Every structure is written in C-alpha cells, then in structure tokens.
C-alpha cells in the first residue's frame, strides 16, 4: 500500500508543488482507494475546487503507471490497478510473515501500562480479567509498533484489611487449607472475621494492632504472614495469567510505594496546593468543577489509595520518563483517576496529559454482580474451565478425528473468553453468556479461529504450487486485499486509541469476507496460475488473521 501512496504523492507533488499532500480515504470505496481533496489548492489558485480537480486529472494520469486518477466534484479519486495492488500487498505479507504490520515507529518512546492489578487474598474478579486481557492487548499493540513498553501489575497488597487478614490467619488459620487452596481459604477467613468482629471489639483491636505493626515496617511475624499471603495469592493469579499467556515486566504492588509516601506528601505540600480540612490533608479540586477534594492523609495519619497512586506515578515518571502512562482500570474508578490527574495539573506538572485512564465497562456474569464480602463469587478458573469444556464438546461433534483435542479446546475456550472481552468498544458494559461467546458462527473468537484453521487447511491441501500468479483472478477479492493493506494502519490506530476493539472489528470483518470468498471461488483444482494467485490470497489472509490474533492474545490453531 505504502508504495502506491508514494507514487500518488510524488505525482501530486511534481504537478502542484505541494509537499507531502494529505490523502484521505473516500467514504464510498467504489469511488477509489484514496482521495485528494482540492480545496486548499483551489483557494491558492483562486478557482473552484471541481475545476482544479478536472484540470489535474489528465496531468496526473500521465505521471502514474499503476494508479488511475478520476476527478469527482472537488476530489481527485485514485484507483490502484487491481493486479498490481494484489501482487504488492500479498508479496509484502509473504516477505514479512509474522512481522507484517509491525514497525519501529515507536522506538525510543516508553509506554507504561498499569493493568490487571488484582487485590491480594481475594479472587481475581471479572473486572480484573478484563483489565488483564485489555491491558495485555494494548501492550502487544505498542510492542508491535516498536515502543518500549513496561507492563506493571499494581497489585492491591496494602490497606487496613491486611491487618484483619493477618489477625484472622493467626486466629483461625488452622481451620482452612491455606496452602492447598489459598484464595477460598482466605476469603472464608475474611468473611468469618468480618462477621465475628461485629460482636467482639477485641477482634477489631487485634486487626488494628496488626496493621499498625505492618505499617511500622518492622520485619516481624505480621509482615511474614502478610508476605506469605501475597506469595500464595500471586501463585494462584499466576495460574490464570499462564492460561491467558500474560506476563508482566514488573509486579509492584501498592506496598512497594509505602517507603515513598512521606516524600510524596511532602512534595505535594511543597508545591503549595494542599490544605487542612477537618484534620485531614487534602488537595482542593473545586476549580475543576463539582469534584471532591483528593484526600492525601487522614486525621489518624494514614494514607490512602490515592496517595499511593501519586507516589507510584511520580516514581514511574522518574524511572521511565514515559510518553504515555496508561491505567487499564474499570470505569468505576473514573473519579479516582480524574482526581489523580487534577492533582498533577494543580502542581503544574507538564507531563500530566501523558497520564491516561484507559477505562472499561462492567462485565455481568449470569450469576449477578459478585461481592467478595458476602462470599458469593465466581472463580475465573471456573469460567475458563467451562469455556474449554464447552469448546471440547463442540469440537468433538464437528471434528471427531482431531488428534490434539484437549489442547485445542483450551485454546478455543480461553480464546473465546479473551476475544469476547475485546470485541466491543471497551467502555461498553457487556453481558457474558457462555453459549454466545463460544459460538462458531457469530462475531466470536472461535469464528475467527475457525476461519484461520480453514485457510490453513486449504494451504495444506494445496502444498507447493510452482507457477506464476495470475493476479487478475483476484478481481473479486478487492475488498479483502484492501483490508490486508490497511492492517498496519489498524494497528497504529488501535494503539493510539488504546482500543483493541478496533483490531477485533477488523479481524471479524476480514474473516467474514474471506469466508464468503472461499465459498465462492475455488482455490484447488484450477490451472496452476489461478491456484497460485488464489493460494497467495489464502496465505496472506491467514497470516494477517494469525498476526491479529497473536496481538489480541488469542491462539490461532491450524486445525480445529
Ligand atoms: N487493585 C485495584 C482494584 O482492584 C486496582 C488498581 C489499579 N491500578 C492503579 N494504579 N490504581 O480496585
């Protein structure tokens, strides 16, 4: 695609003297592949845009070989010769293979991505699953464009609830299977302590005392227990991460920033934006509208989630000097991130605009909204297990002879859940329905995976075809070729907007077009030249689907 754009730009530049002219995509693809609006030129030359367009048409056509220009109203529309376009795009994909679409344009720029960030000693929620899946996709998108990315798991490992947990472990630890199945065990301990605490002030005091010791930094029995809880929880989360194929550059929880809290508060105070309010230290944000102040220190001297996020963002800025710091966190924390950014704004830190809350909507499971305290939770492992089991059933029906069924069922089941999380604009809420998510026919991960496997199977059957391609037979695949050529731009746009759904939408539309093309046109059993050209399209489409799925974090089986 790039080579054609260069050819068009060069022709316009030579003819008009405009340097790197701006090209657009025509609203109606039937009009052409790219368009050049003549308004600015018309102004310069003091003539009507349609007149300029008409005048330029012939001149440009004599300068271009593989592109035809046509004046339509105030626009010049350019149509790239189909055969040349097919040959160029498909050769480019074949040449770059898994790297097709990637670039080095982000080189030297650091992108910090705070994602997943579950809370220790609690089950990872569906919200954390969304953050994990969306955040990892955003990281891979930036990786593909050559940015230096730092994925940080900002686990929730700090707060007074850990005093309660340590006290609960001390009291009732031996009544549960802490090592064997830590999360349900800790959950049960927490629920029990929470209930019994209501009638017993001694328990409240015990929990407080434990947290005081934890905060004091003393490396005694309380800290040891707390550390153990963190380790056990991370081991459990690790199981989910490995099923999802997600890893982090840094696992740095809130506790990591604990030693930086005093200096953080000092820094905000020194910038002159703090004030006392009923004994607490706050930053007033009323100049930004109806928004509550940001609380830095409570009356009793303890800091808050926001204080720890301020410490974290300062630390990250100093360590990385990021181009963007993305926080992939649910929409229920919108206020928190607005406050965080407003504090930076009041401090007049010019890098404030680089800090972005990458918000997302809620996912509702059929079981209803989950609540940790009531102990009514859905364990993510169970959701993934159910998806894999369901996928296994479908595969058994459709393809009973498949050798590696269990492994492929895991790829399809987990891929279905991941794809479903990425397929709509991330701010939208979604209802999770397993049957829909796993359908091989709808707008689903399995549908894209199935298309990928279908193309791979055609490739296997065709083997090596040693003949020149008759590109003209790809006339009916113009739409597909256009999409394949557009893929690098899709990656760029999806990264810029931190919006993986732009890529899922692209893969779905490509998969749909490819499936109907495959149903219409035969690849095998044609003259070698025709088979060669159609096979090149099959390979190109399979490669781009595979590359897309890899970035989304969805496996791409070659058989299913
Ligand atoms: N642990 C938090 C929660 O589950 C999410 C943390 C998000 N990241 C951050 N830097 N605040 O609600």
């Amino acid at each position: 695609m790039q080579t054609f754009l260069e050819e068009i730009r060069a022709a316009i530049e030579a003819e008009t003297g405009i340097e790197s002219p701006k090209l657009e995509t025509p609203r109606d693809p039937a009009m052409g592949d790219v368009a050049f609006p003549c308004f600015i030129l018309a102004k310069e030359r003091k003539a009507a845009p349609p007149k300029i367009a008409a005048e330029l048409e012939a001149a440009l056509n004599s300068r271009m070989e593989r592109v035809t220009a046509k004046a339509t109203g105030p626009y010049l529309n350019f149509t790239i010769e189909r055969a040349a376009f097919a040959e160029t795009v498909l050769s480019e994909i074949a040449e770059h293979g898994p790297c097709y679409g990637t670039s080095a344009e982000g080189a030297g720029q650091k992108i910090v991505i705070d994602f997943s960030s579950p809370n220790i000693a609690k089950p990872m929620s569906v919200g954390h699953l969304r953050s994990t899946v969306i955040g990892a996709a955003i990281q891979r998108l930036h990786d593909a464009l050559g940015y230096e990315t730092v994925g940080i798991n900002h686990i929730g490992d700090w707060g007074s609830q850990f005093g309660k947990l340590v006290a609960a472990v001390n009291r009732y630890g031996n009544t549960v299977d802490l090592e064997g199945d830590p999360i349900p065990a800790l959950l049960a301990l927490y629920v029990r302590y929470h209930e019994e605490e209501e009638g017993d002030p001694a328990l409240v005091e015990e929990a407080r005392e434990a947290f005081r010791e934890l905060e004091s930094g003393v490396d005694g029995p309380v800290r040891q227990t707390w550390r153990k809880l963190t380790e056990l929880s991370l081991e459990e989360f690790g199981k989910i991460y490995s099923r999802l194929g997600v890893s982090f550059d840094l696992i740095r929880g809130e506790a990591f920033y604990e030693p930086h809290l005093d200096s953080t508060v000092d820094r905000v105070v020194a910038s002159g934006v703090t004030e006392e309010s009923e004994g607490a230290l706050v930053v007033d944000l009323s100049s930004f509208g109806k928004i509550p102040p940001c609380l830095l220190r409570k009356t009793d001297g303890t800091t808050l989630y926001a204080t720890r996020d301020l410490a974290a963002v300062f630390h990250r800025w100093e360590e990385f000097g990021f181009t963007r710091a993305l926080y992939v966190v649910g929409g229920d924390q919108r206020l928190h991130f607005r406050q965080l950014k407003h504090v930076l704004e009041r401090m007049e830190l010019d890098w404030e605009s680089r800090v972005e809350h990458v918000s997302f909507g809620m996912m509702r499971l059929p079981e209803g909204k989950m609540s940790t305290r009531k102990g009514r939770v859905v364990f993510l492992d169970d959701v993934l297990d159910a998806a894999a089991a369901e996928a296994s059933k479908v595969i058994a029906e459709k393809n009973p002879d498949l050798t590696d069924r269990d492994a492929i069922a895991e790829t399809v089941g987990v891929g279905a859940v991941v794809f479903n999380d990425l397929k709509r604009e991330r701010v939208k809420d979604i209802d999770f329905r397993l049957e829909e998510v796993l359908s091989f026919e709808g707008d689903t991960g399995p549908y894209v995976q199935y298309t990928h496997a279908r193309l791979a199977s055609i490739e296997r059957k065709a083997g090596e075809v040693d003949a020149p391609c008759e590109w003209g037979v790809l006339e009916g695949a113009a739409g597909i070729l256009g999409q394949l050529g557009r893929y690098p731009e899709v990656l760029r746009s999806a990264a810029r907007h931190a919006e993986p759904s732009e890529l899922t939408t692209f893969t779905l539309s490509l998969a749909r077009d490819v499936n109907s093309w495959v149903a219409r046109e035969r690849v095998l059993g044609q003259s070698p030249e025709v088979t060669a050209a159609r096979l090149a399209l099959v390979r190109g489409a399979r490669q781009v689907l595979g590359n897309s799925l890899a970035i989304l974090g969805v496996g791409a089986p070659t058989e299913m």
Side-chain angles (χ1 to χ4, degrees):
M1 188 69 192
Q2 208 49 43
T3 71
F4 296 105
L5 294 179
E6 277 159 24
E7 186 172 341
I8 295 168
R9 285 210 181 89
I12 299 177
E13 203 172 310
E15 200 51 47
T16 66
I18 298 176
E19 269 175 56
S20 49
K22 257 187 106 84
L23 300 175
E24 295 175 358
T25 309
R27 234 164 289 147
D28 176 3
M31 302 293 277
D33 301 305
V34 270
F36 175 64
C38 297
F39 302 103
I40 298 179
L41 196 59
K43 220 176 183 171
E44 271 178 30
R45 300 197 179 166
K46 299 193 172 44
K51 188 162 176 273
I52 299 284
E55 279 169 15
L56 281 177
E57 188 189 281
L60 288 176
N61 277 326
S62 66
R63 287 184 183 272
M64 298 180 303
E65 269 178 22
R66 303 170 301 175
V67 182
T68 317
K70 191 171 169 359
T72 313
Y75 289 94
L76 268 166
N77 290 318
F78 297 90
T79 303
I80 300 162
E81 198 219 306
R82 290 294 148 220
F85 186 68
E87 181 177 4
T88 307
V89 171
L90 295 177
S91 314
E92 205 182 321
I93 298 173
E95 186 189 333
H96 295 103
C99 294
Y100 174 69
T102 66
S103 68
E105 62 191 58
Q109 298 190 51
K110 293 213 171 85
I111 314 287
V112 176
I113 308 162
D114 180 312
F115 70 107
S116 191
S117 310
N119 300 320
I120 293 308
K122 285 191 198 172
M124 202 189 285
S125 72
V126 174
H128 295 123
L129 173 71
R130 290 214 74 191
S131 171
T132 308
V133 164
I134 295 172
I138 291 174
Q139 180 164 21
R140 287 187 219 97
L141 276 168
H142 283 90
D143 286 338
L145 300 173
Y147 291 93
E148 278 175 50
T149 61
V150 187
I152 304 184
N153 192 351
H154 187 83
I155 53 174
D157 55 359
W158 203 251
S160 55
Q161 71 273 28
F162 290 98
K164 203 183 276 190
L165 257 174
V166 169
V169 170
N170 288 342
R171 268 190 183 246
Y172 320 118
N174 52 8
T175 64
V176 291
D177 183 12
L178 211 49
E179 301 276 340
D181 204 1
I183 304 282
L186 289 168
L187 196 60
L189 289 184
Y190 191 83
V191 171
R192 177 166 174 193
Y193 205 88
H194 196 75
E195 276 166 11
E196 296 192 4
E197 195 182 46
E198 270 165 42
D200 189 347
L203 291 193
V204 179
E205 190 39 47
E206 229 170 276
R208 270 204 201 121
E209 182 47 41
F211 187 56
R212 262 196 293 277
E213 183 175 331
L214 194 57
E215 270 197 308
S216 73
V218 174
D219 200 358
V222 170
R223 190 161 275 267
Q224 262 167 38
T225 307
W226 168 81
R227 206 178 288 129
K228 185 83 199 156
L229 303 180
T230 307
E231 278 161 18
L232 288 171
S233 304
L234 281 175
E235 242 170 73
E236 286 302 295
F237 299 154
K239 292 180 191 166
I240 303 239
Y241 295 143
S242 83
R243 286 183 90 168
L244 296 173
V246 168
S247 59
F248 301 90
D249 300 296
L250 296 169
I251 297 185
R252 259 186 202 169
E254 293 181 41
F256 174 88
Y257 301 99
E258 176 67 11
H260 303 273
L261 291 178
D262 285 337
S263 61
T264 297
V265 173
D266 289 348
R267 180 171 172 181
V268 185
V269 171
S271 76
V273 302
T274 53
E275 53 200 73
E276 294 269 331
S277 169
E278 296 165 32
L281 187 68
V282 305
V283 180
D284 177 72
L285 301 174
S286 59
S287 60
F288 298 101
K290 239 175 118 63
I291 176 165
C294 179
L295 199 53
L296 295 182
R297 224 192 254 292
K298 290 198 272 191
T299 327
D300 63 6
T302 52
T303 57
L304 297 104
Y305 180 55
T307 329
R308 294 189 284 280
D309 252 331
L310 271 172
V313 81
F314 291 152
H315 194 273
R316 288 169 192 180
W317 172 249
E318 261 128 54
E319 184 170 0
F320 303 114
F322 47 73
T323 302
R324 297 171 89 181
L326 307 177
Y327 291 82
V328 186
V329 185
D332 50 348
Q333 293 194 27
R334 192 164 294 138
L335 176 62
H336 167 72
F337 286 102
R338 277 178 62 201
Q339 289 177 311
L340 188 70
K341 278 173 66 68
H342 285 327
V343 171
L344 303 179
E345 223 175 319
R346 280 213 59 195
M347 292 175 75
E348 294 177 4
L349 296 166
D350 57 7
W351 46 269
E352 174 272 331
S353 60
R354 301 178 182 214
V355 175
E356 299 171 46
H357 176 204
V358 176
S359 170
F360 56 81
M362 235 177 39
M363 174 131 88
R364 280 180 297 260
L365 288 166
E367 284 81 355
K369 206 170 177 267
M370 326 181 312
S371 154
T372 311
R373 217 167 313 138
K374 295 198 201 95
R376 196 160 51 86
V377 288
V378 184
F379 289 88
L380 283 186
D381 249 337
D382 298 342
V383 174
L384 296 180
D385 284 346
E390 224 10 73
S392 179
K393 269 198 246 159
V394 181
I395 293 170
E397 266 169 41
K398 293 209 174 209
N399 192 352
D401 303 330
L402 196 62
T403 38
D404 213 2
R405 194 201 308 162
D406 285 346
I408 292 176
E410 171 78 8
T411 307
V412 174
V414 173
V417 172
V418 170
F419 195 93
N420 179 63
D421 242 317
L422 298 175
K423 84 174 197 193
R424 290 173 207 82
E425 240 180 292
R426 58 178 155 71
V427 294
K428 298 211 167 120
D429 288 347
I430 42 183
D431 283 311
F432 183 95
R433 290 192 216 298
L434 195 56
E435 326 77 69
E436 266 171 45
V437 167
L438 277 166
S439 155
F440 279 40
E441 268 108 51
D443 285 347
T444 64
Y447 174 69
V448 179
Q449 290 175 317
Y450 159 77
T451 310
H452 179 271
R454 184 179 188 188
L455 298 177
S457 143
I458 296 175
E459 283 177 63
R460 274 194 302 276
K461 285 186 195 137
E464 279 308 315
V465 178
D466 195 14
C469 295
E470 196 181 319
W471 297 114
V473 300
L474 298 184
E475 189 63 38
I480 297 174
L481 289 162
Q483 297 200 61
L484 297 180
R486 212 163 50 81
Y487 174 67
E489 182 48 38
V490 172
L491 294 188
R492 244 174 262 140
S493 172
R496 193 164 51 238
H497 301 132
E499 186 61 86
S501 71
E502 292 183 12
L503 185 54
T504 45
T505 306
F506 168 85
T507 58
L508 283 170
S509 137
L510 178 59
R512 252 181 259 117
D513 289 356
V514 166
N515 270 316
S516 58
W517 180 82
V518 168
R520 270 198 325 266
E521 316 224 3
R522 294 195 54 79
V523 178
L524 308 174
Q526 313 295 305
S527 76
E529 291 76 15
V530 171
T531 292
R534 292 193 177 144
L535 187 61
L537 182 76
V538 165
R539 285 198 179 124
R542 201 258 311 133
Q543 186 73 60
V544 170
L545 285 177
N547 293 5
S548 305
L549 290 175
I551 288 180
L552 295 168
V554 175
T558 50
E559 243 180 312
M560 65 187 259

